[in-house]
Amino acid sequence: RPYPHAIVAGIETYPLKVTKSMNKKKVAARSHVKPFVKAVNYSHLMPTRYSLELEEIKGAVSSETLKEPSQRLAAKKVVRASFQKRYVAGKNKWFFTKLRF
């Protein structure tokens, strides 16, 4: 990209609410996280206190991976696995809830 940019990974579709009465199959379906990976211009970013750095994502996502569609899909799978693992473990609960403005 000719402009200064950041490679950003985030959540496109957030997990749905889960209750005790739901069976394991329904809990697994509602715990699904759909990620996105894209390059964003620095002027379009707004610094907030919300950020999360994961080392396994840094190795899988780069500016070269965004050019090729198959590599982009592979990067999304790595990101999804990482996000899913964190969500199931119960870490960073604030990250898996929608931002309400």
Side-chain angles (χ1 to χ4, degrees):
R1 306 243 178 230
Y3 51 86
H5 62 280
I7 308 298
V8 179
I11 299 176
E12 191 173 324
T13 305
Y14 288 87
L16 300 171
K17 187 176 180 181
V18 176
T19 61
K20 287 182 181 179
S21 61
M22 294 180 186
N23 59 14
K24 287 183 181 181
K25 185 178 176 184
K26 192 162 191 172
V27 168
R30 292 177 76 90
S31 298
H32 180 76
V33 177
K34 184 179 179 185
F36 69 83
V37 178
K38 62 181 170 180
V40 180
N41 192 332
Y42 280 144
S43 64
H44 297 162
L45 287 176
M46 186 174 80
T48 64
R49 61 184 175 164
Y50 301 108
S51 69
L52 183 68
E53 298 211 11
L54 300 172
E55 294 304 319
E56 59 261 16
I57 290 176
K58 285 184 181 179
V61 181
S62 67
S63 56
E64 285 78 36
T65 41
L66 295 180
K67 293 176 184 172
E68 181 69 36
S70 61
Q71 289 180 340
R72 175 180 236 152
L73 191 64
K76 272 187 178 180
K77 286 181 182 179
V78 170
V79 171
R80 185 174 78 205
S82 177
F83 284 173
Q84 199 80 27
K85 187 170 61 173
R86 277 192 107 67
Y87 178 71
V88 171
K91 296 180 181 175
N92 306 102
K93 290 189 183 226
W94 56 268
F95 186 72
F96 298 102
T97 56
K98 282 187 176 182
L99 282 176
R100 302 289 182 186
F101 292 105

